[in-house]
Amino acid sequence: MQVDLLITHASQVLTIPSHAQGPQRGDRLGDLATIEDGAVAVSNGAIVALGSTVDLAARYQAAQTIDAGGRVVMPGFVDPHTHVVFAGDRANEFEQRIAGATYLEIMNAGGGIMSTVRATRAASRDELVDQTRARLDRMLAHGTTTAEAKTGYGLELTAELKMLDAIAQLEAEHPIDLVPTFLGAHAIPAEYQGREDTYTDLVVNEMLPAVSSFTLHPSSLFCDVFCEDGAFTLAQARRILEKAKELGFALKIHVDEFGPLGGTRLGVELGAVSVDHVVTTPREEIELLGRSRTIAVSLPGTPFGLAHRDYTPAQAILAAGGALALATDINPGTTWNESMQFIMALACRYLKLTPAQALAAATINAAHAIGRGGSIGSLEIGKQADVLIMDVHDYRSIGYRYGTNLVRSVIKRGQIINQAS
Ligand SMILES: [Zn+2]
């Protein structure tokens, strides 16, 4: 039989399957379903067969063959939580933080999120697209083939819509597939300080209805809220998410990054697809999460970026039967990192995940965390052919080694995007 592309002689093809059409949960996290001396056959951008090299080479004639040369072949990374769309940078604040300035001091001096909001409001859509494209290029080079992308640096309707427009343009032109999330409730904008409920009214009554008519991926437009002291209270988060749900948005919520406000419980109650950060989450909410379909998205780059000690209690979440995914949280304030490989390295050390668990959390579970588990995140017949050839022979090297890019080739929808020489 004729196929477009045959990848042969992988030391290990990591298929990393869904379990019962869902994420890998609890103690079943880390099922790589490895094929030794494996091969992958691709046609029309989709996976048509998986098996041993001997078997597939006998069954298929390929227009193009890539010999993986005894390297690991795996699904593309999925990054399910990013603030990748923004203008400017905050390198000056990084230096101030090292010198001992607190987040509050920086914010009171006009820095923090508001400094990125000012830069993003001032940027044209094209400037925003250009600056973001450079980051997406680096993400792709590091193996990310699908990413979520949040708004939230506009904090006014026109600027939020400009961000959604930028996401739509990049989704159309860039090899990375982007899943958009409206995060108008990222922070209280400076002009609404002391009038937090008035800003919440604006999000509920004006922004959400306007954004809901924005049809990039109508079936998977997410709404997210930053529920934290200094951002949105639990009551405000509930108002926003209930309205979003009524309008047909899928839900996400930033919870328990610095303190527990009950956001995890709220996310589970409202059927959120994911709750994100999940660091200071109380025991009983971890139990609730473990019994729910809501996925915990851990962002270990953030405590690392802030030199904090506390990370997501991954072992407790898994012991409760929960589903765990990993993401970069790339943003200009707390963690500017384009690499899911580096996130895996952090997760192995600070969340005590095995490389196999971290791989599943960064691929199939990450895909489910953005509602795309049926089409990407694993190497299964019928799925989109988003495939990485890693320059390692043993999958455990991913997570073990860090600080250099271990990707040799990125294949997106069956097309070879870049290949190390
Ligand atoms: Zn975030």
Side-chain angles (χ1 to χ4, degrees):
M1 202 188 297
Q2 184 74 27
V3 293
D4 296 337
L5 175 67
L6 195 58
I7 304 166
T8 59
H9 297 294
S11 57
Q12 302 162 325
V13 170
L14 314 179
T15 67
I16 324 185
S18 279
H19 285 169
Q21 274 95 56
Q24 298 186 4
R25 310 185 64 91
D27 61 9
R28 299 195 62 208
L29 178 65
D31 174 14
L32 302 182
T34 300
I35 304 166
E36 307 279 329
D37 192 12
V40 183
V42 174
S43 260
N44 299 316
I47 295 167
V48 294
L50 296 145
S52 70
T53 296
V54 170
D55 179 26
L56 265 57
R59 279 164 53 201
Y60 294 101
Q61 295 289 317
Q64 187 175 15
T65 299
I66 305 176
D67 185 334
R71 296 180 179 82
V72 168
V73 169
M74 61 171 279
F77 287 111
V78 177
D79 190 345
H81 182 136
T82 86
H83 304 260
V84 69
V85 184
F86 61 87
D89 70 61
R90 277 147 61 190
N92 59 328
E93 289 178 18
F94 177 58
E95 208 169 47
Q96 289 165 11
R97 275 211 316 270
I98 292 169
T102 66
Y103 184 79
L104 216 62
E105 286 165 349
I106 291 170
M107 204 171 73
N108 291 339
I113 285 181
M114 278 315 292
S115 106
T116 300
V117 169
R118 283 192 302 275
T120 303
R121 284 176 178 174
S124 69
R125 192 194 67 155
D126 287 352
E127 288 165 343
L128 205 49
V129 164
D130 286 346
Q131 292 187 33
T132 303
R133 186 189 295 112
R135 291 184 280 273
L136 293 178
D137 288 346
R138 284 187 291 272
M139 288 165 68
L140 184 67
H142 285 82
T144 297
T145 48
T146 300
E148 186 253 22
K150 300 181 195 294
T151 70
Y153 293 118
L155 307 185
E156 61 185 16
L157 183 57
T158 51
E160 287 290 310
L161 291 176
K162 178 176 69 184
M163 290 188 76
L164 281 171
D165 249 353
I167 295 168
Q169 183 174 333
L170 287 161
E171 151 66 16
E173 72 172 46
H174 199 278
I176 292 187
D177 287 326
L178 292 175
V179 174
T181 294
F182 170 66
L183 180 60
H186 190 194
I188 305 290
E191 61 273 22
Y192 282 89
Q193 283 307 327
R195 298 187 295 139
E196 288 80 3
D197 281 330
T198 309
Y199 183 68
T200 303
D201 290 342
L202 183 74
V203 173
V204 169
N205 299 327
E206 290 182 32
M207 289 191 188
L208 278 173
V211 169
S212 74
S213 56
F214 190 97
T215 52
L216 184 59
H217 290 296
S219 61
S220 63
L221 187 55
F222 283 90
C223 176
D224 191 352
V225 175
F226 199 103
C227 180
E228 199 75 47
D229 270 340
F232 293 83
T233 65
L234 189 67
Q236 290 161 347
R238 176 185 285 280
R239 281 189 58 206
I240 293 164
L241 292 172
E242 283 181 344
K243 175 69 174 192
K245 189 173 179 177
E246 190 187 305
L247 290 168
F249 288 82
L251 306 183
K252 290 180 169 288
I253 177 168
H254 284 66
V255 300
D256 309 330
E257 181 180 2
F258 302 116
L261 296 190
T264 296
R265 182 184 299 273
L266 178 66
V268 169
E269 179 197 322
L270 296 179
V273 173
S274 71
V275 289
D276 299 44
H277 283 294
V278 199
V279 175
T280 62
T281 311
R283 184 91 225 170
E284 61 274 19
E285 290 184 61
I286 290 176
E287 297 295 331
L288 271 178
L289 187 57
R291 291 194 297 272
S292 77
R293 292 172 59 88
T294 300
I295 297 173
V297 176
S298 177
L299 312 169
T302 312
F304 177 82
L306 291 168
H308 286 178
R309 291 222 189 107
D310 293 331
Y311 287 80
T312 301
Q315 299 306 318
I317 292 168
L318 296 178
L324 183 77
L326 293 169
T328 61
D329 193 26
I330 178 172
N331 74 76
T334 56
T335 179
W336 186 331
N337 155 50
E338 283 95 349
S339 171
M340 286 294 286
Q341 297 169 60
F342 181 60
I343 293 300
M344 279 189 55
L346 294 177
C348 291
R349 286 159 183 79
Y350 297 111
L351 276 61
K352 305 292 180 209
L353 298 187
T354 63
Q357 290 176 319
L359 275 164
T363 54
I364 187 62
N365 283 13
H368 282 288
I370 51 174
R372 296 289 181 92
S375 57
I376 56 163
S378 60
L379 301 183
E380 295 180 90
I381 290 171
K383 278 196 164 177
Q384 204 166 293
D386 294 356
V387 185
L388 305 179
I389 302 175
M390 303 297 288
D391 210 356
V392 300
H393 303 291
D394 179 329
Y395 74 84
R396 292 172 300 184
S397 293
I398 314 165
Y400 164 50
R401 292 169 55 185
Y402 58 91
T404 50
N405 186 4
L406 300 176
V407 169
R408 181 176 174 85
S409 306
V410 180
I411 294 151
K412 177 68 188 177
R413 293 177 190 263
Q415 300 295 313
I416 301 164
I417 300 291
N418 64 353
Q419 191 160 12
S421 51

